[in-house]
């Protein structure tokens, strides 16, 4: 068996769960909201928060729907969706699913978590995982092998996602 990061395992579980309309894949990794009640720190103080002074200076915050729109506007996702539909004669579709409703924290920033999937009549196949920051719209892509988070520019340069289209 080859080693997978906890995040990669969770994503694989989430894609399967999404096809069955199930819950968050990383429940084992991220404690549920009520789980902190058994900890010695009260729930109100255990969650990290943004300093109040930083909030007014930030640009307009993206909602999840707006974040989905930003991702679906990426040329790579448009091309992948078109190719999936064409190759399947309209039987399969490209889609974005939220693989964990709990915001992901990375280097002090919060991100929505989505997977681009190929939704076929038989199964859902994950293509890529995307993180998008509600504050500023920064997009990160999870490297499927190393688990490293890549910037959009680095992902395009190193992974050449448009070459993935047969």
């Amino acid at each position: 068996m080859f080693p997978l990061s906890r995040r990669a395992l969770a994503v694989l579980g989430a894609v399967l769960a999404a096809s069955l309309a199930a819950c968050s894949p990383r429940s084992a990794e991220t404690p549920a909201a009520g789980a902190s009640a058994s900890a010695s720190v009260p729930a109100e103080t255990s969650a990290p928060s943004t300093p109040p002074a930083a909030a007014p200076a930030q640009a307009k915050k993206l909602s999840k729907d707006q974040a989905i729109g930003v991702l679906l506007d990426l040329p790579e996702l448009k091309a992948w969706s078109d190719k999936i539909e064409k190759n399947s004669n309209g039987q399969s579709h490209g889609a974005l699913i939220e693989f964990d409703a709990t915001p992901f924290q990375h280097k002090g920033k919060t991100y929505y978590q989505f997977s681009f999937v190929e939704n076929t009549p038989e199964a859902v196949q994950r293509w890529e995982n995307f993180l998008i920051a509600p504050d500023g719209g920064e997009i990160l892509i999870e490297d499927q092998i190393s688990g490293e988070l890549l910037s959009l520019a680095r992902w395009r340069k190193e992974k050449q996602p448009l070459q993935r289209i047969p």
Side-chain angles (χ1 to χ4, degrees), residues 14 20 31-32 34 41 45 47 52 57 87 89 100 105 115 133 143 161:
L20 301 172
V41 179
T45 60
N87 287 348
N89 294 319
D100 195 334
Q105 299 292 321
S115 289
D143 182 279

Side-chain angles (χ1 to χ4, degrees), residues 109-123:
K109 243 179 161 175
T110 301
Y111 295 85
Y112 297 129
Q113 305 179 76
F114 298 100
S115 289
F116 179 83
V117 298
E118 180 176 352
N119 190 8
T120 71
E122 297 83 31

Side-chain angles (χ1 to χ4, degrees), residues 33-34 36-37 39-50:
S36 63
S40 61
V41 179
E44 298 83 25
T45 60
S46 63
S49 62
T50 306

